[in-house]
Amino acid sequence: MDLQEKKKLLEEIEAKVQACTLCPLYKQATRGVPGEGNPNADIFFIGEGPGKKEDELGRPFVGAAGKLLEQLLQHIGITRNDVFIGNVVKHRPPGNRDPLPEEAAACWPYLEKQVEIIKPKIIVLLGRHSLARFLPGKVISQVHGKPFRKENLVYYPMYHPAAALYNGSLRDTMFQDMARVPVILKKIKNS
């Protein structure tokens, strides 16, 4: 699939997300946040769901957690334009509450299709909600910074950047975990 085909398919998903009524989240949301980035990205970052700023702008990771994510990307010499960034749910849960299982299930086909289109080499699972969606039964504090291969994809769990904003001691851990991403990516490309 060439770049133009990927862009077209991702735009179709974006339109579907904006019009989505599969779960009640759309009722209180300003707009959907389908995800954004490089359609040919080797790295796909998946968080939990849009926050207040993301809901306002329709873009993922643009608030305080997004600023930390951008610092983490700079730490390994890349930018947002090099990766794709999305979330488990595509509309903001009220009051930033955790997404409910049925909400995550409603959004799953969109996320699954994005992964299929982009074909990343590594999926970075940011936080416990994306971890639970892709690697059920795992606990983020036990598996962060460790790659897992499943169904021809490599998943790499990390703490969510918001966790480091609330617990400063996680900040160094996040930078250490992010530093492993290019090493893992190189191994995948060379295998």
Side-chain angles (χ1 to χ4, degrees), residues 1-11 39-40:
M1 188 179 322
D2 71 14
L3 181 61
Q4 290 310 316
E5 284 177 280
K6 286 184 173 190
K7 282 182 178 178
K8 182 179 177 289
L9 291 170
L10 290 170
E11 286 168 4
N40 286 327

Side-chain angles (χ1 to χ4, degrees), residues 129-181:
H129 291 283
S130 57
L131 177 66
R133 197 76 204 140
F134 287 91
L135 300 172
K138 304 275 188 212
V139 179
I140 193 71
S141 61
Q142 296 171 357
V143 298
H144 73 89
K146 298 174 185 166
F148 293 84
R149 186 176 289 275
K150 180 182 168 189
E151 298 167 10
N152 295 322
L153 280 169
V154 173
Y155 298 93
Y156 186 70
M158 287 180 57
Y159 286 105
H160 193 286
L165 298 177
Y166 297 111
N167 179 354
S169 66
L170 291 178
R171 193 176 166 87
D172 285 344
T173 301
M174 290 203 71
F175 277 91
Q176 290 167 9
D177 287 352
M178 184 64 91
R180 292 187 189 105
V181 171

Side-chain angles (χ1 to χ4, degrees), residues 95-116:
N96 274 0
R97 69 160 167 72
D98 289 350
L100 301 175
E102 57 270 23
E103 294 163 349
C107 288
W108 179 246
Y110 300 130
L111 188 56
E112 196 174 39
K113 190 72 176 162
Q114 286 173 319
V115 170
E116 185 183 307

Side-chain angles (χ1 to χ4, degrees), residues 25 28-29 48-52 55 91-99 103 166:
L25 287 181
Q28 295 181 33
E48 172 184 326
K52 186 176 190 300
D55 179 62
H91 287 94
R92 180 181 186 222
N96 274 0
R97 69 160 167 72
D98 289 350
E103 294 163 349
Y166 297 111

